[in-house]
Amino acid sequence: MPASNASASLLPSSEPSPDSASPREARNRGTELLVSGDLHGALAAFLEAATLAPEEPSCRQKVAEVLQRLGRTREAIAGYEAAARLWDQQGWLLRAIGLCKVILQLDPAHSRTRALLADLRARRGLPPPDSESGMPHEARALATPSAPGPRPDVVAHLLRGSPLFARLEPPLLRLVSEAFQPCTADAGEQILTRGQPAQALYLLLRGRCTVFHQHVDGHETAYPDLAEGDVFGEVALLRSKLVTASVRAATACLLLKLDRAAFEQLVAAEPELRQELQRMGAERLCRTALLLTRPR
């Protein structure tokens, strides 16, 4: 299927000057501006990175993320689509699938993305994409008090809806589904506390969580919130260290929890999953460092 040219207008038409920053420098500058709240400055920096490295999908993805935050949805969709196709071309089906799902959240009727997602899943040996009502229905089934306990089939269905776990082969997915435990958190309840030993990986199914750093004087530095579908707790587990940031339920939350032993078995069996989690963790640590070094 040919890639769409819809995102071509997002990139500057002029060639970068000889003294332009490297793609990495431009991207790092964009991340810093994004953390500081300068969305337009961040967009310009990420656009520069995408111009300097047109075949680098992460730069296109960053452009799309900022466009989405600016409310420029059509342009964001075009950017996400271009990034998804580049991830696919480079063999990163997991990331391509994830971006397809982001696009369909913004525009459920986006036909090109529906076709691409079906193709990606078929190449991974996965069933066709579920209907819109699939995830909420299964999440409610897990949360039903009268349920006799965790149902591996329901957990497996939920994991197939997560870009991180959708690529697992059926035998491994079944084992992981049996290891994940559903749990809930009330609004205001602390889920992770900075400085404590890492114990588990969490997948947020329903609700919203705040992430923050509590300083010695008691004030808190807020990080970007966690939304439905986000994974957290992976940084400390991968680094075998203490929890790096506190997480608190902002609303009533439904989660899936994978304890340390099961997590270590999973990433040992799936090196690509480890790489993806390491990438996510590195980006979070970068954002954390930038936030903590900002003048108060």
Side-chain angles (χ1 to χ4, degrees), residues 35 210-215 219-225 246 287-288 291-292 294:
V35 170
T210 56
V211 187
F212 61 94
H213 175 99
Q214 187 163 31
H215 298 264
H219 90 278
E220 296 178 355
T221 297
Y223 303 151
D225 285 357
S246 297
R287 291 196 298 266
T288 298
L291 279 167
L292 293 178
R294 282 173 54 193

Side-chain angles (χ1 to χ4, degrees), residues 91-94 124 167 270-277:
W92 291 91
L93 299 191
L94 179 64
R124 288 298 310 171
R167 66 176 299 277
E270 288 289 318
E272 186 179 330
L273 182 62
R274 173 185 283 275
Q275 291 174 6
E276 179 68 7
L277 287 167

Side-chain angles (χ1 to χ4, degrees), residues 254-272:
L254 174 64
L255 310 102
L256 289 177
K257 178 180 179 180
L258 186 69
D259 67 27
R260 174 191 280 276
F263 172 83
E264 290 175 348
Q265 291 178 3
L266 173 61
V267 295
E270 288 289 318
E272 186 179 330

Side-chain angles (χ1 to χ4, degrees), residues 4-267:
S4 169
N5 293 323
S7 62
S9 62
L10 297 180
L11 301 180
S13 57
S14 59
E15 292 295 324
S17 61
D19 58 347
S20 293
S22 70
R24 176 176 293 183
E25 290 170 335
R27 178 170 170 164
N28 288 344
R29 186 170 71 255
T31 300
E32 186 171 357
L33 290 166
L34 186 61
V35 170
S36 71
D38 183 358
L39 295 182
H40 290 92
L43 177 60
F46 289 137
L47 281 168
E48 180 182 355
T51 301
L52 292 168
E55 300 305 314
E56 173 51 56
S58 62
C59 297
R60 297 291 189 104
Q61 182 173 335
K62 285 296 182 184
V63 169
E65 289 171 357
V66 179
L67 287 168
Q68 182 181 352
R69 292 183 62 175
L70 286 169
R72 295 162 62 176
T73 305
R74 287 186 177 276
E75 294 169 277
I77 288 173
Y80 281 131
E81 184 180 1
R85 293 184 184 280
L86 284 173
W87 284 125
D88 175 28
Q89 291 169 14
Q90 296 178 18
W92 291 91
L93 299 191
L94 179 64
R95 298 186 185 182
I97 288 171
L99 289 190
C100 285
K101 294 191 174 186
V102 171
I103 294 170
L104 292 177
Q105 287 176 350
L106 297 173
D107 180 5
H110 200 267
S111 58
R112 287 195 307 270
T113 298
R114 285 189 169 279
L116 176 59
L117 181 57
D119 177 57
L120 292 169
R121 293 179 66 90
R123 281 190 270 140
R124 288 298 310 171
L126 298 170
D130 296 321
S131 66
E132 257 71 53
S133 61
M135 176 71 86
H137 172 76
E138 300 297 346
R140 285 195 297 272
L142 272 185
T144 302
S146 59
R151 290 174 46 190
D153 61 324
V154 174
V155 176
H157 183 86
L158 289 166
L159 293 180
R160 281 194 292 268
S162 166
L164 267 177
F165 300 105
R167 66 176 299 277
L168 299 181
E169 299 298 335
L172 184 57
L173 180 64
R174 180 175 180 80
L175 291 174
V176 173
S177 301
E178 293 172 351
F180 263 105
Q181 294 295 313
C183 60
T184 59
D186 295 328
E189 181 178 339
Q190 194 97 337
I191 300 172
L192 292 180
T193 301
R194 181 177 179 273
Q196 290 188 350
Q199 298 294 340
L201 172 82
Y202 292 88
L203 172 61
L204 179 59
L205 299 178
R206 284 291 171 268
R208 181 173 56 85
C209 294
T210 56
V211 187
F212 61 94
H213 175 99
Q214 187 163 31
H215 298 264
V216 177
D217 61 6
H219 90 278
E220 296 178 355
T221 297
Y223 303 151
D225 285 357
L226 296 168
E228 295 173 0
D230 282 342
V231 169
F232 61 96
E234 80 290 345
V235 173
L237 287 172
L238 288 169
R239 295 165 64 90
S240 299
K241 293 186 177 182
L242 304 179
V243 173
T244 56
S246 297
V247 177
R248 179 188 298 136
T251 65
C253 294
L254 174 64
L255 310 102
L256 289 177
K257 178 180 179 180
L258 186 69
D259 67 27
R260 174 191 280 276
F263 172 83
E264 290 175 348
Q265 291 178 3
L266 173 61
V267 295

